Amino acid sequence: MQTTSTDLAQHAMVSTRVLYSRLRSILISILLAPAAGLAASLGAVVTMGVLRLGLGIPTPVELFGDFVLKHIDVGTFIRLLERFAPHSKTGPLSLALLGMIALGVVLGWLYAVIALVKLPTSGYRPARREWLTASAFTLAMATLGIVLFWDELRQNLFGLTVGWATLVSALGLVADFAIYALVLCLAYRALLPKVARNGVAVVVVQRRQWLARAGVAALTLGTGAGTLGLVQGYLQEYASYDGFSPAPPNGFTPPITPNSEHYVVTQNTIDPTVNTDLWRLEIVGLVGTSGSYTYAELQQLPSTSRAITLECIANEVGGRLMSTAIWQGVTLRTLLEKHGGAQVGASYIAFSSVDGYTMSLPLNEVLAEEPLLAWQMNGQPLPYRHGFPLRVLIPGRYGEENPKWVTRIVLTDHFVGGLYADQGWYHGFLHTTSRIDRPAPDGQVVLGSVTEIGGIAFAGNRGIQQVEVSVDGGLTWQIATLQPALSQDAWVLWAWPWKPTLAGAYTLMARATDGTGAVQTSQKQGTVPNGAKGYPVIQVTVA
Ligand SMILES: Nc1nc2c(c(=O)[nH]1)N[C@H]1C(S)=C(S)[C@@H](COP(=O)(O)O)O[C@H]1N2
Ligand SMILES: [Mo]
């Protein structure tokens, strides 16, 4: 009888002699490389999800989204929003995520071609060439990501300053891609067919092979489930209040909008939740002396408060993306004076926010509008969704030029682009507008008794001089009574008592005259891309 060990040795010798044909090797690689690619992709997705939810680091999917949004024009932007409505943000992001996973699968083949493992193999430890290929993958992908998304890396949703955020986001990309390459390298190796060597029994080799493949499958399933869980966690923080703007109860708009009713507009899928231990306000560039403030230091600055109305450029005439709050903070003028003022050559001011939002304007124009850097809104610390811990208010400008979550102010000699500026939205003084809040449109008005027609009018920091009302489609106009505005930068409330004496259908209109004497134009214009113009019009029936 032969001994068992000789038996094994014979098996081993027979096995090592088996070399696969070229075709067989290629077919096996074609099948196994994408399987390893899928495990690697999902591993990377879980990594980015954990970094995103745990440390506020933007995912490559979001960086890609931000990058694309800055490189399309308003027209394409609006078409995209409409195509994906009501999932205008999560729809495209989900597609980008799926695309990224698919790309990771496909890259499995590229890896197989470069790593060039001779089949069948014998061990589970990747060879030098495989490690080198994986390292090259990490390096190439991270470099590409960092170069391409350089301008987007400055964001961190827990509030890191621009410099730290850029570093941490870049490291995040390296981590995502390193995990991808590592899993790809190990999983591919694990999946490849093995032969016995050095006296190991064929059954043992087969059992190990089976276990290794099951391991890769389990990893794929586990990270797949992890991905679903993380996507769910992500959606739970989703900024569903974007575009939120409730109608005033009974048609009476209060002069100050309560914080919970203030309209919200945000570019973000998830808004920043700034940790004040990480956050700083930095003042840099062409200022006398640059500096930085913690949240506590900021509040030691001399502060003022003022009523300021905000209006989104996407607000239709008669729309509700417009609200008023009492904002408290330091004026930009005071802050710059503390830092020795602007140096010669400082022609622009640029703001950076922790969500990566950037916005710049000519310095002299901005200073003339007496901007406020506010940390309080109606006596409360800024709510998260309105820009906690600090936002800028530039009276007279549409909302897009009032950055929230600000972390850096730079005086510079050139214009700095940003999401909406790059897309080509109007930037300039907002158009005079008015709104009829009551009676309700298409409603009934009682014949022979007094019905108050009322609403608001707004012209930025130009103020409102007069509001007129028409009940005959613009043929004749009556002067409404104005409530005194809470400030030069706030809307005014107006009313006019109407006593209709004839039943029938009526067309009600309003128009405002701003502080310079210019009357709101009747010329209609849509919101995109220059801001809406025209009179508010409603129909009512008198009976
Ligand atoms: N950092 C940052 N600031 C931002 C935005 C943003 O997405 N990110 N959105 C802008 C737009 S388009 C508008 S209309 C106003 C809305 O401010 P509110 O949500 O406090 O009403 O914020 C502006 N500031
Ligand atoms: Mo906006």
Side-chain angles (χ1 to χ4, degrees):
M1 270 307 281
Q2 285 179 305
T3 63
T4 314
S5 61
T6 327
D7 211 22
L8 291 180
Q10 266 177 0
H11 270 292
M13 278 168 69
V14 172
S15 311
T16 37
R17 253 180 267 124
V18 180
L19 264 185
Y20 290 3
S21 73
R22 208 180 155 78
L23 182 66
R24 190 171 172 202
S25 293
I26 291 175
L27 284 177
I28 289 174
S29 302
I30 285 181
L31 274 175
L32 296 182
L38 179 63
S41 262
L42 293 175
V45 169
V46 167
T47 309
M48 65 182 71
V50 168
L51 292 179
R52 175 66 183 76
L53 297 177
L55 298 172
I57 300 177
T59 63
V61 182
E62 293 161 304
L63 294 172
F64 173 75
D66 292 353
F67 176 82
V68 171
L69 287 181
K70 276 190 193 164
H71 288 84
I72 57 178
D73 61 14
V74 265
T76 315
F77 176 65
I78 296 295
R79 275 196 298 280
L80 222 120
L81 290 183
E82 283 166 357
R83 161 87 47 91
F84 284 96
H87 306 290
S88 310
K89 289 177 187 174
T90 47
L93 276 182
S94 310
L95 282 186
L97 177 65
L98 288 176
M100 227 185 61
I101 294 174
L103 189 67
V105 172
V106 171
L107 281 177
W109 282 313
L110 182 65
Y111 173 83
V113 167
I114 300 175
L116 212 66
V117 185
K118 285 263 179 334
L119 297 185
T121 60
S122 56
Y124 287 86
R125 196 183 302 158
R128 201 176 129 81
R129 187 179 171 108
E130 291 161 76
W131 285 126
L132 284 176
T133 308
S135 308
F137 262 55
T138 307
L139 195 70
M141 292 165 98
T143 307
L144 190 71
I146 290 169
V147 170
L148 205 58
F149 304 146
W150 182 256
D151 286 337
E152 320 303 333
L153 295 179
R154 58 178 60 221
Q155 56 184 299
N156 179 276
L157 300 190
F158 290 170
L160 287 177
T161 55
V162 171
W164 282 111
T166 306
L167 178 68
V168 167
S169 301
L171 289 177
L173 285 182
V174 173
D176 297 336
F177 296 134
I179 291 290
Y180 171 78
L182 180 70
V183 175
L184 181 60
C185 176
L186 294 176
Y188 185 55
R189 194 22 99 154
L191 291 174
L192 288 177
K194 316 284 185 313
V195 288
R197 205 178 258 169
N198 305 333
V200 182
V202 170
V203 270
V204 173
V205 171
Q206 281 172 346
R207 198 177 61 226
R208 278 192 193 152
Q209 180 68 77
W210 189 89
L211 277 174
R213 287 188 176 158
V216 173
L219 178 72
T220 307
L221 286 177
T223 45
T227 300
L228 291 181
L230 286 162
V231 165
Q232 224 158 42
Y234 189 92
L235 291 179
Q236 243 150 44
E237 293 179 33
Y238 176 64
S240 55
Y241 42 78
D242 185 20
F244 159 86
S245 51
N250 318 323
F252 284 86
T253 299
I256 298 169
T257 318
N259 287 355
S260 59
E261 313 271 297
H262 197 286
Y263 91 87
V264 184
V265 168
T266 173
Q267 61 158 6
N268 305 312
T269 321
I270 300 181
D271 274 335
T273 40
V274 168
N275 175 339
T276 48
D277 293 334
L278 304 176
W279 180 89
R280 297 286 182 276
L281 172 69
E282 300 174 317
I283 295 121
V284 295
L286 302 173
V287 278
T289 51
S290 46
S292 134
Y293 296 83
T294 64
Y295 183 56
E297 286 163 357
L298 189 73
Q299 289 167 83
Q300 304 307 312
L301 289 168
S303 73
T304 59
S305 69
R306 203 184 333 150
I308 299 173
T309 298
L310 266 185
E311 181 189 7
C312 181
I313 194 164
N315 192 38
E316 308 276 356
V317 171
R320 310 210 166 270
L321 293 177
M322 185 167 30
S323 308
T324 303
I326 311 275
W327 306 90
Q328 184 180 336
V330 62
T331 64
L332 181 64
R333 197 176 289 280
T334 305
L335 185 69
L336 289 183
E337 274 164 12
K338 268 189 83 78
H339 289 267
Q343 290 179 18
V344 272
S347 43
Y348 283 89
I349 184 161
F351 300 94
S352 280
S353 301
V354 303
D355 61 342
Y357 199 86
T358 53
M359 195 284 285
S360 80
L361 285 169
L363 179 60
N364 287 335
E365 267 181 41
V366 171
L367 278 176
E369 292 177 64
E370 294 300 337
L372 197 62
L373 286 96
W375 53 81
Q376 281 211 353
M377 179 179 184
N378 293 331
Q380 305 281 316
L382 270 184
Y384 281 110
R385 60 179 73 168
H386 293 292
F388 178 84
L390 186 71
R391 85 169 299 163
V392 178
L393 293 147
I394 305 181
R397 302 278 175 158
Y398 282 107
E400 53 177 356
E401 295 182 327
N402 291 251
K404 306 193 260 192
W405 309 291
V406 169
T407 180
R408 179 182 271 193
I409 300 174
V410 193
L411 295 196
T412 147
D413 58 3
H414 62 277
F415 179 77
V416 179
L419 175 63
Y420 296 122
D422 290 2
Q423 284 185 353
W425 290 85
Y426 167 86
H427 52 108
F429 303 110
L430 45 75
H431 315 310
T432 301
T433 194
S434 50
R435 187 175 76 201
I436 300 171
D437 288 332
R438 58 187 188 276
D442 307 315
Q444 288 262 342
V445 167
V446 183
L447 179 68
S449 63
V450 174
T451 292
E452 194 178 74
I453 303 175
I456 54 109
F458 180 52
N461 57 352
R462 300 188 298 279
I464 294 288
Q465 216 170 68
Q466 175 175 286
V467 175
E468 295 160 280
V469 187
S470 171
V471 293
D472 52 14
L475 286 175
T476 58
W477 294 89
Q478 337 295 327
I479 294 175
T481 312
L482 306 185
Q483 277 184 28
L486 293 177
S487 87
Q488 176 77 12
D489 304 327
W491 62 20
V492 300
L493 275 55
W494 56 265
W496 182 72
W498 178 36
K499 191 172 177 185
T501 50
L502 269 176
Y506 287 76
T507 299
L508 277 44
M509 293 180 168
R511 67 180 184 200
T513 303
D514 73 12
T516 72
V519 183
Q520 175 179 353
T521 181
S522 62
Q523 214 68 47
K524 270 193 199 161
Q525 175 174 292
T527 56
V528 184
N530 292 319
K533 291 182 181 175
Y535 297 160
V537 182
I538 68 164
Q539 317 286 339
V540 294
T541 310
V542 171

